[in-house]
Amino acid sequence: TRVIPVTVTMFDERFIHTPDRDYTQAFSSIISESDLASAKTVRVIGTEEFMYLPIKFAEYLEARRFGVLCHATTRSCIDVSTPSDKNGIYCRDTFGSVYSEDRETYLYNLGEHTDVAYVITDGIISDSTVAQFAQLCNADKIYFVKINWEKI
């Protein structure tokens, strides 16, 4: 596992997602720090409300012919179906939030193995966060991408 710090420039007092926003530089930084040489499948995980950038990164990887699964943690606890019902929510994992130590978050349906996993967050990547995701991700390589906002 490895933490990759990436700075994303913020153009005003709040980060505004726009359809024409170019994330190529940030995504190139992430990939240049990763070993994707033999990877065919990739899992991308966002954290809580911070999911737009991870979704855009998943699209970026799909455009480069990777098989991509995209997830996001949530504060919502959802009932799960039976394990034999693979069309629904069949698996729930619980762990601490990257934004607040006293809050639980959930991640669903992580059963399928992938070659590489990225956990992309603007939250705090602690040793316990790394340990929990490393145990759950079911991937050969796991990268934690810490997004650092920079105003100009």
Side-chain angles (χ1 to χ4, degrees):
T1 60
R2 182 163 179 225
V3 176
I4 303 170
V6 176
T7 299
V8 175
T9 304
M10 191 165 86
F11 293 101
D12 58 18
E13 291 302 312
R14 63 191 193 290
F15 183 67
I16 299 174
H17 302 294
T18 56
D20 59 344
R21 181 90 188 256
D22 185 9
Y23 298 101
T24 305
Q25 183 177 0
F27 296 160
S28 294
S29 295
I30 295 168
I31 288 179
S32 71
E33 297 291 327
S34 309
D35 179 10
L36 293 173
S38 62
K40 293 184 176 128
T41 57
V42 179
R43 180 183 321 269
V44 178
I45 301 171
T47 55
E48 298 180 39
E49 285 83 8
F50 183 75
M51 63 178 86
Y52 183 81
L53 199 66
I55 289 169
K56 297 304 282 183
F57 183 60
E59 289 175 350
Y60 182 84
L61 292 170
E62 283 181 330
R64 279 144 188 82
R65 307 276 188 227
F66 290 98
V68 180
L69 298 171
C70 192
H71 300 268
T73 64
T74 179
R75 290 183 262 176
S76 301
C77 183
I78 300 170
D79 287 334
V80 296
S81 302
T82 61
S84 62
D85 182 11
K86 296 294 182 186
N87 293 322
I89 297 174
Y90 56 87
C91 177
R92 174 182 63 222
D93 294 294
T94 305
F95 50 94
S97 171
V98 296
Y99 302 104
S100 175
E101 291 179 7
D102 54 344
R103 180 168 69 214
E104 283 190 333
T105 59
Y106 308 92
L107 199 51
Y108 299 93
N109 293 2
L110 286 182
E112 187 174 332
H113 175 270
T114 58
D115 299 317
V116 174
Y118 290 95
V119 178
I120 303 176
T121 186
D122 60 350
I124 298 166
I125 302 174
S126 66
D127 290 342
S128 66
T129 300
V130 170
Q132 288 176 348
F133 276 101
Q135 184 179 9
L136 296 174
C137 278
N138 194 15
D140 296 333
K141 297 174 188 161
I142 303 170
Y143 298 101
F144 292 83
V145 180
K146 170 66 169 117
I147 300 298
N148 299 304
W149 300 112
E150 178 182 284
K151 296 179 185 178
I152 60 168

